Amino acid sequence: IEDLSYELLNTDRRGILLVAEMGFGKSALISHIVCSYDKQSSAYPMFEKTTVIHFCKYDSNLTLDRGIFVRNMAGKLSSLYPEFGNIINTDTTAMTYLSSSKCLEDPSGCFDYTVLNPLRKSTLGYNTQMIIIIDALDECIETGPNNIFSFLHEKIYLLPPQIKFLLTSRNISNIRTNLPSGIFVYKNPLFWEKNLQDIKKYLRQKLENKMLSEQYQQMLSGMGPSDDVQKLAELCGRNFLFLTHALEF
């Protein structure tokens, strides 16, 4: 978490894409960040700067529509920053977009009038560091070429440099190799080591149950003499979701 926070908040990167397969714990990590109210938490610096959070779900059109994404972004920024809200409230074109279906019909114009222009007119974009989080970006491409990912590709470079993005996705080449300028894939090996440590810690806690421990000892006996925790960690392939479901049966 500390390294991720440093890369996002203390470098000139526009954003970071966290790539991992389903079940790794990407959404759990995002939940940890956005719930880190405790100032002692290692995720608090990111929590403190997070202004917009968007979760993509392939089976929910409300989460995939570019116009709704922009409208929600404008609404959140208005609620957090009175200066931003006042600029929108005194702009008849911006208000027309937000009070009608125009954002859905014209997401690009909606973005220009309700997000980009207010940021440029206010002191926020250049004096206030912000993080926009989008989880499961791979699910945002389910609507075809006019999706939230392609929209980000078109618009990120227009935003003030103090606005950073934290994105998560499965390892899909269409996303990984077509990132907007300034967005980098996070590659710190310590992140993967931490994932393995968390899996082993979880396993040790679960295997304190004697009945469960004996059951898995029998199942793993044919794999050689090494530690049961290590064997199970290898079997689950760093997939935390698979592991938690497997231990329920």
Side-chain angles (χ1 to χ4, degrees):
I1 289 285
E2 292 90 342
D3 182 70
L4 187 63
S5 178
Y6 179 85
E7 289 290 328
L8 197 59
L9 298 176
N10 297 286
T11 70
D12 59 359
R13 299 175 187 267
R14 293 305 304 265
I16 289 174
L17 172 67
L18 178 60
V19 172
E21 294 303 335
M22 185 182 297
F24 178 85
K26 302 182 296 296
S27 294
L29 174 65
I30 296 302
S31 295
H32 174 67
I33 292 170
V34 301
C35 294
S36 292
Y37 305 97
D38 185 354
K39 292 184 178 181
Q40 303 302 315
S41 169
S42 59
Y44 183 79
M46 286 188 286
F47 163 79
E48 187 181 29
K49 304 292 185 182
T50 298
T51 55
V52 177
I53 307 161
H54 185 81
F55 296 92
C56 298
K57 295 187 65 179
Y58 74 93
D59 58 350
S60 171
N61 289 333
L62 289 175
T63 70
L64 304 179
D65 189 277
R66 299 183 302 166
I68 294 175
F69 169 69
V70 174
R71 189 172 64 189
N72 290 347
M73 185 190 305
K76 186 62 176 179
L77 292 173
S78 294
S79 68
L80 289 174
Y81 304 107
E83 181 187 4
F84 185 97
N86 289 337
I87 292 171
I88 286 183
N89 290 334
T90 56
D91 186 326
T92 55
T93 304
M95 288 303 297
T96 299
Y97 270 101
L98 293 177
S99 61
S100 68
S101 61
K102 284 198 71 175
C103 275
L104 279 66
E105 298 162 2
D106 179 20
S108 183
C110 183
F111 177 84
D112 291 344
Y113 282 102
T114 69
V115 176
L116 190 59
N117 286 355
L119 283 172
R120 286 174 171 173
K121 291 178 180 179
S122 71
T123 60
L124 293 173
Y126 297 92
N127 296 332
T128 305
Q129 200 169 42
M130 305 179 193
I131 297 175
I132 295 174
I133 294 176
I134 303 178
D135 187 33
L137 190 59
D138 52 289
E139 298 192 31
C140 285
I141 64 176
E142 298 292 332
T143 55
N146 295 322
N147 55 61
I148 290 176
F149 178 60
S150 64
F151 190 79
L152 292 174
H153 216 288
E154 297 169 11
K155 299 296 186 180
I156 279 182
Y157 80 97
L158 297 172
L159 291 167
Q162 288 295 88
I163 297 179
K164 305 295 186 83
F165 286 80
L166 177 57
L167 315 171
T168 74
S169 172
R170 286 180 295 146
N171 190 14
I172 295 178
S173 60
N174 189 38
I175 290 178
R176 195 183 63 253
T177 61
N178 293 287
L179 290 174
S181 178
I183 306 292
F184 293 82
V185 176
Y186 188 66
K187 294 183 176 180
N188 191 328
L190 292 176
F191 183 73
W192 304 97
E193 291 177 18
K194 179 64 175 175
N195 168 260
L196 187 58
Q197 290 172 13
D198 289 343
I199 285 175
K200 289 181 177 180
K201 180 179 179 181
Y202 175 78
L203 282 168
R204 289 189 182 96
Q205 291 174 344
K206 283 293 185 179
L207 294 179
E208 287 177 0
N209 181 307
K210 186 176 180 181
M211 185 179 297
L212 187 66
S213 178
E214 289 175 353
Q215 177 184 345
Y216 278 95
Q217 281 176 3
Q218 292 176 5
M219 185 184 76
L220 299 170
S221 60
M223 293 182 63
S226 62
D227 178 44
D228 289 342
V229 168
Q230 180 66 33
K231 292 176 186 175
L232 285 169
E234 292 171 358
L235 281 173
C236 76
R238 299 180 185 273
N239 190 318
F240 222 126
L241 186 61
F242 169 79
L243 177 64
T244 55
H245 286 309
L247 291 179
E248 288 177 1
F249 296 98

